[in-house]
Coordinates of all heavy atoms in Angstrom, one line a residue:
M307 N -10.9 -4.0 -23.0 CA -11.5 -4.9 -22.0 C -12.3 -4.0 -21.0 O -11.8 -3.0 -20.5 CB -10.3 -5.6 -21.3 CG -10.8 -6.5 -20.2 SD -9.5 -7.5 -19.6 CE -9.3 -6.8 -18.0
T308 N -13.5 -4.4 -20.8 CA -14.3 -3.6 -19.8 C -14.3 -4.4 -18.5 O -14.3 -5.6 -18.5 CB -15.7 -3.5 -20.4 OG1 -16.3 -4.8 -20.6 CG2 -15.8 -2.6 -21.6
T309 N -14.4 -3.6 -17.5 CA -14.4 -4.2 -16.1 C -15.9 -4.2 -15.6 O -16.6 -3.2 -15.9 CB -13.5 -3.5 -15.1 OG1 -13.9 -2.2 -15.1 CG2 -12.1 -3.6 -15.6
Q310 N -16.2 -5.2 -14.9 CA -17.6 -5.2 -14.3 C -17.5 -4.5 -13.0 O -16.5 -4.7 -12.2 CB -18.0 -6.7 -14.1 CG -18.8 -7.3 -15.2 CD -19.4 -8.6 -14.7 OE1 -18.9 -9.3 -13.9 NE2 -20.5 -9.0 -15.4
T311 N -18.5 -3.7 -12.7 CA -18.5 -3.1 -11.4 C -19.7 -3.7 -10.6 O -20.7 -4.1 -11.2 CB -18.7 -1.6 -11.5 OG1 -19.9 -1.3 -12.2 CG2 -17.5 -1.0 -12.2
I312 N -19.6 -3.7 -9.3 CA -20.6 -4.2 -8.5 C -20.9 -3.1 -7.5 O -20.0 -2.5 -6.9 CB -20.1 -5.5 -7.7 CG1 -19.8 -6.6 -8.7 CG2 -21.2 -5.9 -6.7 CD1 -19.2 -7.8 -8.0
K313 N -22.2 -2.8 -7.4 CA -22.6 -1.8 -6.4 C -22.7 -2.4 -5.0 O -23.3 -3.5 -4.9 CB -24.0 -1.2 -6.9 CG -24.3 0.0 -6.1 CD -25.6 0.7 -6.7 CE -25.6 2.1 -6.4 NZ -25.6 3.0 -7.4
T314 N -22.2 -1.7 -4.0 CA -22.2 -2.3 -2.7 C -22.5 -1.1 -1.7 O -22.3 0.0 -2.0 CB -20.9 -3.0 -2.3 OG1 -21.0 -3.6 -1.1 CG2 -19.7 -2.0 -2.3
A315 N -22.9 -1.5 -0.5 CA -23.1 -0.5 0.5 C -22.1 -0.8 1.6 O -21.9 -2.0 2.0 CB -24.5 -0.6 1.0
I316 N -21.5 0.2 2.1 CA -20.5 0.0 3.3 C -20.9 1.1 4.3 O -21.5 2.1 4.1 CB -19.1 0.2 2.8 CG1 -18.8 1.6 2.2 CG2 -18.7 -0.9 1.8 CD1 -17.4 1.9 2.0
S317 N -20.5 0.8 5.5 CA -20.7 1.7 6.7 C -19.4 2.3 7.0 O -18.4 1.6 7.2 CB -21.3 0.9 7.9 OG -22.6 0.3 7.5
L318 N -19.4 3.6 7.1 CA -18.2 4.4 7.5 C -18.5 5.3 8.7 O -19.6 5.8 8.8 CB -17.7 5.2 6.4 CG -17.3 4.5 5.1 CD1 -17.0 5.6 4.0 CD2 -16.1 3.6 5.3
D319 N -17.5 5.5 9.5 CA -17.6 6.5 10.6 C -17.9 7.8 9.9 O -17.4 8.1 8.8 CB -16.3 6.5 11.3 CG -16.2 7.6 12.3 OD1 -16.6 7.4 13.5 OD2 -15.8 8.7 11.9
R320 N -18.7 8.6 10.5 CA -19.2 9.9 9.8 C -17.9 10.8 9.5 O -17.9 11.4 8.5 CB -20.1 10.7 10.8 CG -20.7 11.9 10.1 CD -21.7 12.6 11.1 NE -22.8 11.7 11.5 CZ -23.9 11.6 10.7 NH1 -24.1 12.2 9.6 NH2 -24.9 10.8 11.2
Q321 N -17.0 10.9 10.4 CA -15.8 11.7 10.2 C -15.0 11.2 9.0 O -14.5 11.9 8.2 CB -15.0 11.7 11.5 CG -14.3 13.0 11.7 CD -13.6 13.0 13.1 OE1 -13.2 12.0 13.6 NE2 -13.4 14.2 13.6
L322 N -14.8 9.9 8.9 CA -14.1 9.3 7.8 C -14.8 9.5 6.5 O -14.2 9.9 5.5 CB -13.9 7.8 8.0 CG -13.2 7.0 6.9 CD1 -11.8 7.5 6.7 CD2 -13.1 5.5 7.3
F323 N -16.1 9.4 6.5 CA -16.9 9.7 5.3 C -16.7 11.2 4.9 O -16.4 11.4 3.7 CB -18.4 9.5 5.6 CG -19.3 9.8 4.4 CD1 -19.4 8.9 3.4 CD2 -19.9 11.0 4.4 CE1 -20.2 9.2 2.3 CE2 -20.7 11.3 3.3 CZ -20.9 10.4 2.3
S324 N -16.7 12.1 5.8 CA -16.5 13.5 5.5 C -15.2 13.8 4.9 O -15.0 14.5 3.9 CB -16.8 14.4 6.7 OG -18.1 14.3 7.1
R325 N -14.1 13.2 5.6 CA -12.8 13.4 5.1 C -12.6 12.8 3.7 O -11.9 13.4 2.9 CB -11.8 12.8 6.1 CG -11.7 13.6 7.4 CD -10.6 13.2 8.3 NE -10.1 11.9 8.2 CZ -10.2 10.9 9.2 NH1 -10.8 11.2 10.3 NH2 -9.7 9.7 9.0
S326 N -13.2 11.7 3.5 CA -13.0 11.0 2.1 C -13.8 11.9 1.1 O -13.3 12.0 -0.1 CB -13.5 9.6 2.1 OG -14.9 9.6 2.4
D327 N -14.9 12.4 1.4 CA -15.6 13.3 0.5 C -14.8 14.5 0.1 O -14.7 14.9 -1.0 CB -16.9 13.8 1.2 CG -18.1 13.5 0.3 OD1 -18.0 12.8 -0.7 OD2 -19.2 14.1 0.7
V328 N -14.1 15.2 1.1 CA -13.3 16.3 0.9 C -12.1 15.9 0.0 O -11.8 16.6 -1.0 CB -12.8 16.9 2.2 CG1 -11.7 18.0 1.9 CG2 -13.9 17.5 3.0
L329 N -11.5 14.8 0.3 CA -10.3 14.4 -0.5 C -10.7 14.0 -1.9 O -10.0 14.4 -2.9 CB -9.6 13.2 0.1 CG -8.4 12.6 -0.6 CD1 -7.3 13.7 -0.7 CD2 -7.8 11.4 0.2
A330 N -11.9 13.4 -2.1 CA -12.3 13.0 -3.5 C -12.5 14.3 -4.3 O -12.2 14.4 -5.5 CB -13.6 12.2 -3.4
R331 N -13.1 15.3 -3.7 CA -13.3 16.6 -4.4 C -12.0 17.2 -4.8 O -11.8 17.7 -5.9 CB -14.2 17.5 -3.6 CG -15.6 17.3 -3.7 CD -16.5 18.4 -3.1 NE -16.2 18.8 -1.7 CZ -16.8 18.2 -0.7 NH1 -17.7 17.2 -0.8 NH2 -16.5 18.6 0.6
E332 N -11.0 17.2 -3.8 CA -9.7 17.8 -4.1 C -9.0 17.1 -5.2 O -8.3 17.7 -6.0 CB -8.8 17.7 -2.8 CG -9.1 18.6 -1.7 CD -8.3 18.4 -0.5 OE1 -7.3 17.6 -0.5 OE2 -8.6 19.0 0.6
L333 N -9.2 15.8 -5.3 CA -8.5 15.0 -6.3 C -9.4 14.9 -7.6 O -8.9 14.3 -8.6 CB -8.3 13.5 -5.8 CG -7.3 13.4 -4.6 CD1 -7.2 12.0 -4.1 CD2 -5.9 13.9 -5.0
R334 N -10.5 15.5 -7.6 CA -11.4 15.5 -8.7 C -11.8 14.1 -9.2 O -11.6 13.8 -10.4 CB -10.9 16.4 -9.9 CG -10.6 17.8 -9.5 CD -10.0 18.5 -10.7 NE -9.6 19.9 -10.3 CZ -10.3 21.0 -10.5 NH1 -11.5 20.9 -11.0 NH2 -9.8 22.1 -10.1
M335 N -12.2 13.3 -8.2 CA -12.6 12.0 -8.5 C -13.9 11.7 -7.7 O -14.2 12.4 -6.8 CB -11.5 11.0 -8.2 CG -10.9 11.0 -6.8 SD -9.4 10.0 -6.6 CE -9.7 8.5 -7.5
T336 N -14.5 10.6 -8.1 CA -15.7 10.3 -7.4 C -15.3 9.6 -6.0 O -14.2 9.1 -5.9 CB -16.6 9.2 -8.2 OG1 -15.8 8.0 -8.3 CG2 -17.0 9.8 -9.5
R337 N -16.3 9.6 -5.1 CA -16.1 9.0 -3.8 C -15.8 7.5 -4.1 O -14.9 6.9 -3.5 CB -17.3 9.2 -2.9 CG -17.0 8.7 -1.5 CD -18.3 8.8 -0.6 NE -18.9 10.1 -0.8 CZ -20.2 10.2 -1.2 NH1 -20.9 9.2 -1.5 NH2 -20.8 11.4 -1.3
S338 N -16.6 6.9 -5.0 CA -16.4 5.4 -5.3 C -15.0 5.2 -5.9 O -14.3 4.2 -5.5 CB -17.4 5.0 -6.3 OG -18.7 5.0 -5.7
G339 N -14.5 6.1 -6.7 CA -13.2 6.0 -7.3 C -12.1 6.1 -6.2 O -11.1 5.3 -6.3
L340 N -12.3 7.0 -5.3 CA -11.3 7.2 -4.2 C -11.3 5.9 -3.4 O -10.2 5.4 -3.1 CB -11.7 8.4 -3.4 CG -10.9 8.6 -2.1 CD1 -9.5 9.0 -2.5 CD2 -11.5 9.6 -1.2
I341 N -12.4 5.4 -3.0 CA -12.5 4.2 -2.1 C -11.9 3.0 -2.9 O -11.1 2.2 -2.3 CB -13.9 4.0 -1.6 CG1 -14.3 5.1 -0.7 CG2 -14.0 2.6 -1.0 CD1 -15.7 5.1 -0.3
A342 N -12.2 2.9 -4.2 CA -11.6 1.8 -4.9 C -10.1 1.9 -5.0 O -9.4 0.9 -4.9 CB -12.3 1.8 -6.3
Q343 N -9.6 3.1 -5.3 CA -8.2 3.3 -5.4 C -7.5 3.0 -4.0 O -6.5 2.3 -4.0 CB -7.8 4.7 -5.8 CG -6.3 4.9 -6.0 CD -6.0 6.3 -6.5 OE1 -6.8 7.0 -7.1 NE2 -4.8 6.7 -6.3
A344 N -8.1 3.5 -2.9 CA -7.5 3.2 -1.6 C -7.5 1.7 -1.3 O -6.5 1.2 -0.8 CB -8.3 3.9 -0.5
L345 N -8.6 1.0 -1.7 CA -8.6 -0.4 -1.4 C -7.6 -1.2 -2.3 O -6.9 -2.1 -1.8 CB -10.0 -1.0 -1.7 CG -10.3 -2.4 -1.4 CD1 -10.0 -2.7 0.1 CD2 -11.8 -2.7 -1.6
E346 N -7.4 -0.8 -3.5 CA -6.4 -1.4 -4.4 C -5.0 -1.2 -3.8 O -4.2 -2.1 -3.7 CB -6.4 -0.7 -5.8 CG -7.6 -1.2 -6.7 CD -7.5 -2.6 -7.2 OE1 -6.4 -3.2 -7.1 OE2 -8.5 -3.1 -7.7
E347 N -4.7 0.0 -3.3 CA -3.4 0.3 -2.7 C -3.2 -0.5 -1.4 O -2.1 -1.1 -1.2 CB -3.2 1.8 -2.4 CG -3.1 2.6 -3.7 CD -3.0 4.1 -3.5 OE1 -2.8 4.5 -2.3 OE2 -3.2 4.8 -4.5
F348 N -4.3 -0.6 -0.6 CA -4.2 -1.4 0.6 C -3.9 -2.9 0.3 O -3.0 -3.5 0.9 CB -5.5 -1.3 1.4 CG -5.5 -2.1 2.7 CD1 -4.9 -1.7 3.8 CD2 -6.1 -3.4 2.6 CE1 -4.9 -2.4 5.0 CE2 -6.1 -4.2 3.8 CZ -5.6 -3.7 5.0
I349 N -4.6 -3.4 -0.7 CA -4.4 -4.8 -1.1 C -3.0 -5.0 -1.6 O -2.3 -6.0 -1.2 CB -5.5 -5.3 -2.1 CG1 -6.8 -5.3 -1.4 CG2 -5.1 -6.6 -2.7 CD1 -8.0 -5.5 -2.4
A350 N -2.5 -4.1 -2.4 CA -1.1 -4.2 -3.0 C -0.1 -4.2 -1.8 O 0.9 -5.0 -1.8 CB -0.9 -3.2 -4.0
K351 N -0.2 -3.2 -0.9 CA 0.7 -3.1 0.2 C 0.7 -4.4 1.1 O 1.7 -4.9 1.5 CB 0.4 -1.9 1.1 CG 0.8 -0.6 0.5 CD 0.5 0.6 1.4 CE 1.0 1.9 0.7 NZ 0.7 3.0 1.6
R352 N -0.5 -4.9 1.3 CA -0.6 -6.1 2.1 C 0.1 -7.3 1.4 O 0.8 -8.1 2.0 CB -2.1 -6.4 2.4 CG -2.3 -7.6 3.3 CD -3.7 -7.6 3.8 NE -4.0 -8.8 4.5 CZ -3.8 -9.0 5.8 NH1 -3.3 -8.0 6.5 NH2 -4.1 -10.2 6.4
R353 N -0.2 -7.4 0.1 CA 0.5 -8.5 -0.7 C 2.0 -8.3 -0.6 O 2.7 -9.3 -0.4 CB 0.0 -8.4 -2.1 CG 0.4 -9.5 -3.0 CD -0.1 -9.5 -4.4 NE -1.3 -8.6 -4.4 CZ -1.6 -7.7 -5.3 NH1 -0.9 -7.6 -6.4 NH2 -2.6 -6.9 -5.2
N354 N 2.5 -7.1 -0.7 CA 3.9 -6.9 -0.7 C 4.5 -7.2 0.7 O 5.6 -7.8 0.8 CB 4.3 -5.4 -1.1 CG 4.1 -5.2 -2.6 OD1 4.0 -6.1 -3.4 ND2 3.9 -3.9 -2.9
R355 N 3.8 -6.8 1.7 CA 4.2 -7.2 3.1 C 4.3 -8.7 3.3 O 5.2 -9.2 3.9 CB 3.3 -6.5 4.1 CG 3.7 -5.2 4.6 CD 3.1 -4.8 5.9 NE 1.6 -4.9 5.9 CZ 0.7 -4.0 5.6 NH1 1.2 -2.8 5.2 NH2 -0.5 -4.3 5.6
N356 N 3.3 -9.4 2.8 CA 3.3 -10.8 3.0 C 4.4 -11.5 2.2 O 5.0 -12.4 2.6 CB 1.9 -11.4 2.5 CG 0.8 -11.1 3.4 OD1 1.0 -10.7 4.6 ND2 -0.4 -11.2 3.0
L357 N 4.6 -10.9 1.0 CA 5.8 -11.5 0.2 C 7.1 -11.2 0.9 O 7.9 -12.1 0.9 CB 5.8 -10.8 -1.2 CG 6.9 -11.2 -2.1 CD1 6.9 -12.7 -2.4 CD2 6.8 -10.4 -3.5
L358 N 7.3 -10.0 1.4 CA 8.5 -9.7 2.1 C 8.7 -10.6 3.3 O 9.8 -11.1 3.6 CB 8.5 -8.2 2.6 CG 9.7 -7.8 3.4 CD1 11.0 -7.9 2.5 CD2 9.5 -6.4 3.9
A359 N 7.6 -10.9 4.1 CA 7.7 -11.7 5.2 C 8.1 -13.2 4.8 O 8.9 -13.8 5.5 CB 6.3 -11.8 5.9
R360 N 7.5 -13.6 3.7 CA 7.9 -15.0 3.2 C 9.4 -15.0 2.8 O 10.1 -15.9 3.1 CB 7.0 -15.4 2.1 CG 5.6 -15.8 2.6 CD 4.8 -16.5 1.5 NE 4.7 -15.8 0.2 CZ 3.7 -15.1 -0.2 NH1 2.6 -15.0 0.5 NH2 3.8 -14.6 -1.4
L361 N 9.8 -13.9 2.1 CA 11.2 -13.9 1.7 C 12.1 -13.8 2.9 O 13.2 -14.5 2.9 CB 11.5 -12.7 0.8 CG 10.9 -12.8 -0.6 CD1 11.0 -11.4 -1.4 CD2 11.7 -13.9 -1.4
N362 N 11.8 -13.0 3.9 CA 12.6 -12.9 5.1 C 12.7 -14.3 5.8 O 13.7 -14.7 6.3 CB 12.0 -11.9 6.0 CG 12.4 -10.5 5.6 OD1 13.3 -10.3 4.8 ND2 11.6 -9.5 6.0
Q363 N 11.6 -15.0 5.8 CA 11.5 -16.3 6.4 C 12.5 -17.3 5.7 O 13.2 -18.0 6.3 CB 10.1 -16.9 6.4 CG 9.9 -18.1 7.2 CD 8.4 -18.5 7.2 OE1 7.7 -18.2 6.3 NE2 8.1 -19.3 8.3
V364 N 12.5 -17.2 4.3 CA 13.3 -18.1 3.6 C 14.8 -17.8 3.8 O 15.6 -18.7 3.9 CB 13.0 -17.9 2.0 CG1 14.1 -18.6 1.2 CG2 11.7 -18.5 1.7
Y365 N 15.1 -16.5 3.9 CA 16.5 -16.1 4.0 C 17.0 -15.8 5.5 O 18.1 -15.4 5.7 CB 16.8 -14.8 3.2 CG 16.7 -15.1 1.7 CD1 15.6 -14.7 1.0 CD2 17.7 -15.8 1.1 CE1 15.6 -15.0 -0.4 CE2 17.7 -16.1 -0.3 CZ 16.6 -15.6 -1.0 OH 16.6 -15.9 -2.3
E366 N 16.1 -16.2 6.5 CA 16.5 -15.8 7.9 C 17.7 -16.5 8.4 O 18.4 -16.0 9.2 CB 15.3 -16.0 8.8 CG 15.0 -17.5 9.0 CD 13.7 -17.6 9.9 OE1 13.1 -16.6 10.3 OE2 13.2 -18.8 10.0
D367 N 18.0 -17.7 7.8 CA 19.2 -18.5 8.3 C 20.5 -18.1 7.5 O 21.6 -18.6 7.8 CB 19.0 -20.0 8.1 CG 17.9 -20.4 9.1 OD1 17.7 -19.8 10.1 OD2 17.2 -21.4 8.7
Q368 N 20.4 -17.2 6.5 CA 21.5 -16.8 5.7 C 22.3 -15.7 6.4 O 21.7 -14.8 7.0 CB 21.1 -16.3 4.3 CG 20.3 -17.4 3.5 CD 21.1 -18.6 3.2 OE1 22.3 -18.5 2.8 NE2 20.6 -19.8 3.4
P369 N 23.6 -15.7 6.3 CA 24.4 -14.6 6.9 C 24.1 -13.3 6.2 O 23.9 -13.3 5.0 CB 25.8 -15.1 6.8 CG 25.8 -16.1 5.7 CD 24.4 -16.7 5.7
E370 N 24.1 -12.3 6.9 CA 23.9 -10.9 6.3 C 25.2 -10.5 5.6 O 26.3 -10.5 6.1 CB 23.6 -9.9 7.5 CG 23.4 -8.5 7.0 CD 22.0 -8.4 6.3 OE1 21.1 -9.2 6.6 OE2 21.8 -7.4 5.6
P371 N 25.0 -10.2 4.3 CA 26.2 -9.8 3.5 C 26.7 -8.4 4.0 O 25.9 -7.5 4.4 CB 25.7 -9.7 2.1 CG 24.3 -9.5 2.2 CD 23.8 -10.1 3.5
P372 N 28.0 -8.1 4.0 CA 28.4 -6.8 4.4 C 28.0 -5.8 3.3 O 27.9 -6.1 2.1 CB 30.0 -6.9 4.3 CG 30.3 -8.1 3.5 CD 29.1 -9.0 3.6
R373 N 27.6 -4.6 3.8 CA 27.1 -3.6 2.9 C 28.0 -2.4 3.0 O 28.4 -1.9 4.0 CB 25.7 -3.1 3.3 CG 24.7 -4.2 3.0 CD 23.3 -3.6 3.0 NE 22.3 -4.7 2.8 CZ 21.3 -4.9 3.6 NH1 21.0 -4.1 4.5 NH2 20.5 -5.9 3.3
T374 N 28.4 -1.9 1.8 CA 29.2 -0.7 1.7 C 28.3 0.5 2.0 O 27.0 0.4 1.8 CB 29.8 -0.5 0.4 OG1 28.8 -0.4 -0.6 CG2 30.7 -1.8 0.0
P375 N 28.8 1.7 2.3 CA 28.0 2.9 2.5 C 27.2 3.2 1.2 O 26.1 3.6 1.3 CB 29.0 4.0 2.8 CG 30.1 3.2 3.5 CD 30.2 1.9 2.8
A376 N 27.8 3.0 0.1 CA 27.2 3.2 -1.2 C 26.0 2.3 -1.4 O 24.9 2.7 -1.9 CB 28.1 3.1 -2.4
A377 N 26.1 1.0 -1.0 CA 25.0 0.1 -1.2 C 23.9 0.4 -0.2 O 22.7 0.4 -0.6 CB 25.5 -1.3 -0.9
R378 N 24.2 0.9 1.0 CA 23.2 1.3 2.0 C 22.4 2.5 1.4 O 21.2 2.6 1.5 CB 23.8 1.6 3.3 CG 24.1 0.3 4.1 CD 24.4 0.6 5.6 NE 25.6 1.4 5.8 CZ 26.8 1.0 5.8 NH1 27.1 -0.3 5.8 NH2 27.8 1.8 6.0
A379 N 23.2 3.5 0.9 CA 22.5 4.7 0.3 C 21.6 4.3 -0.8 O 20.5 4.8 -1.0 CB 23.6 5.7 -0.1
N380 N 22.1 3.4 -1.7 CA 21.2 3.0 -2.8 C 20.0 2.3 -2.3 O 18.9 2.5 -2.8 CB 22.1 2.1 -3.7 CG 21.3 1.8 -5.0 OD1 20.7 2.7 -5.6 ND2 21.4 0.6 -5.5
H381 N 20.1 1.4 -1.3 CA 19.0 0.7 -0.7 C 18.0 1.7 -0.2 O 16.8 1.6 -0.4 CB 19.5 -0.2 0.4 CG 18.4 -1.0 1.0 ND1 17.9 -0.7 2.2 CD2 17.8 -2.2 0.6 CE1 17.0 -1.6 2.5 NE2 16.9 -2.5 1.5
R382 N 18.5 2.7 0.6 CA 17.6 3.7 1.1 C 16.9 4.5 0.0 O 15.7 4.8 0.1 CB 18.3 4.7 2.0 CG 18.3 4.3 3.4 CD 18.8 5.4 4.4 NE 20.2 5.9 4.1 CZ 21.3 5.3 4.5 NH1 21.2 4.2 5.1 NH2 22.4 5.8 4.2
R383 N 17.6 4.8 -1.1 CA 17.0 5.5 -2.2 C 15.9 4.7 -2.8 O 14.8 5.2 -3.2 CB 18.0 5.8 -3.3 CG 17.5 6.6 -4.5 CD 18.6 6.8 -5.5 NE 19.1 5.5 -6.0 CZ 18.5 4.7 -6.9 NH1 17.3 5.0 -7.3 NH2 19.0 3.6 -7.4
I384 N 16.1 3.4 -3.0 CA 15.1 2.5 -3.6 C 13.9 2.3 -2.7 O 12.7 2.4 -3.1 CB 15.7 1.2 -4.0 CG1 16.8 1.4 -5.1 CG2 14.7 0.1 -4.4 CD1 17.6 0.2 -5.4
I385 N 14.2 2.0 -1.5 CA 13.1 1.6 -0.5 C 12.4 2.8 0.0 O 11.2 2.8 0.2 CB 13.7 0.8 0.7 CG1 14.3 -0.5 0.2 CG2 12.6 0.5 1.7 CD1 13.4 -1.4 -0.6
G386 N 13.1 3.9 0.2 CA 12.5 5.1 0.8 C 11.8 4.9 2.1 O 12.4 4.2 2.9
D387 N 10.7 5.5 2.3 CA 10.0 5.4 3.6 C 9.0 4.3 3.6 O 8.1 4.2 4.5 CB 9.3 6.7 3.9 CG 10.3 7.8 4.2 OD1 11.4 7.5 4.7 OD2 10.0 9.0 4.0
S388 N 9.0 3.4 2.6 CA 7.9 2.4 2.5 C 8.0 1.3 3.6 O 7.1 0.6 3.8 CB 7.9 1.8 1.1 OG 9.1 1.1 0.8
W389 N 9.2 1.2 4.3 CA 9.3 0.2 5.3 C 9.2 0.9 6.6 O 9.3 0.6 7.6 CB 10.6 -0.6 5.1 CG 10.7 -1.2 3.7 CD1 11.5 -0.7 2.7 CD2 9.9 -2.3 3.2 NE1 11.2 -1.5 1.6 CE2 10.3 -2.4 1.9 CE3 9.0 -3.1 3.7 CZ2 9.8 -3.4 1.1 CZ3 8.5 -4.1 2.9 CH2 8.9 -4.2 1.6

């Protein structure tokens, strides 16, 4: 399956442009590839945050189940620093 690409022009702060250029070179990718990947990750994180907010809204009236220290450690291991 081939993906269609669309050429677009965006305006960036000069400093952000320079930092993205350096990072793209470090990662051995094109500037367009870096920006596309960053946008994909931003969209995925936003979708996940919205999903979490909806789930929290659904379960907000439910009592909090007691958690054992092992369950808390497992939760921290799975979630990490993403929250």
Side-chain angles (χ1 to χ4, degrees):
M307 180 172 110
T308 57
T309 58
Q310 267 190 334
T311 59
I312 298 172
K313 192 171 202 122
T314 186
I316 59 171
S317 298
L318 299 174
D319 174 90
R320 186 177 302 274
Q321 215 173 25
L322 179 59
F323 178 83
S324 295
R325 291 191 331 247
S326 66
D327 233 12
V328 169
L329 182 58
R331 279 194 303 273
E332 286 175 8
L333 296 174
R334 298 178 190 265
M335 57 191 317
T336 64
R337 189 183 314 118
S338 291
L340 175 69
I341 293 170
Q343 182 177 339
L345 189 54
E346 286 285 348
E347 290 176 15
F348 177 82
I349 291 169
K351 283 182 181 181
R352 184 170 172 84
R353 186 177 342 139
N354 288 340
R355 267 197 311 267
N356 289 342
L357 177 59
L358 179 62
R360 288 194 308 257
L361 286 171
N362 285 338
Q363 189 176 24
V364 167
Y365 289 106
E366 70 186 356
D367 294 333
Q368 300 297 316
E370 182 73 24
R373 293 196 181 130
T374 65
R378 283 193 297 274
N380 190 42
H381 182 260
R382 267 194 300 283
R383 182 185 58 77
I384 293 169
I385 300 302
D387 292 331
S388 62
W389 304 104

